Amino acid sequence: IKYLDARRDVKKAYLMNMRKVNQLNRLVIVDFEGEDDQFNDFAKDFTDKVLNAINDEKAPFMIMNFNQPAAKQATKEKVPFYVKVG
């Protein structure tokens, strides 16, 4: 949460469990203000500074930009774990 609070370009973030044939993945969907290149930089930085410390090989984290149709569909009627205040 502290990492996301420090960023001005993150509006919301969702955490979801996704199962693919005997593999559990944890998906972080981020509502991001910026271009795709900026999101890619954010995803790398977030992975390096946050996810690598908590990643689990049995249930790895993946990051997706909210602006993709699949992300919008997956988060429909879901409550984000993070919402930017102010």
Side-chain angles (χ1 to χ4, degrees), residues 7 32 34-44 65 67:
R7 305 233 9 156
F32 183 83
E35 301 297 321
D36 287 343
D37 288 346
Q38 293 169 313
F39 179 79
N40 293 338
D41 291 342
F42 159 78
K44 182 182 181 327
N65 195 334
N67 72 4

Side-chain angles (χ1 to χ4, degrees), residues 18-86:
M18 307 293 282
R19 184 164 294 280
K20 290 183 190 176
V21 189
N22 298 328
Q23 173 68 48
L24 177 64
N25 292 307
R26 292 177 286 184
L27 181 61
V28 179
I29 299 174
V30 179
D31 190 351
F32 183 83
E33 291 182 7
E35 301 297 321
D36 287 343
D37 288 346
Q38 293 169 313
F39 179 79
N40 293 338
D41 291 342
F42 159 78
K44 182 182 181 327
D45 192 58
F46 185 68
T47 299
D48 291 346
K49 293 181 178 170
V50 178
L51 296 184
N52 283 342
I54 60 173
N55 225 349
D56 178 354
E57 289 179 18
K58 294 178 183 175
F61 282 94
M62 298 167 49
I63 301 174
M64 179 183 280
N65 195 334
F66 182 76
N67 72 4
Q68 299 176 21
K72 289 182 180 177
Q73 184 63 31
T75 58
K76 196 174 185 178
E77 300 180 17
K78 303 289 184 200
V79 175
F81 80 89
Y82 175 81
V83 176
K84 176 70 76 193
V85 176

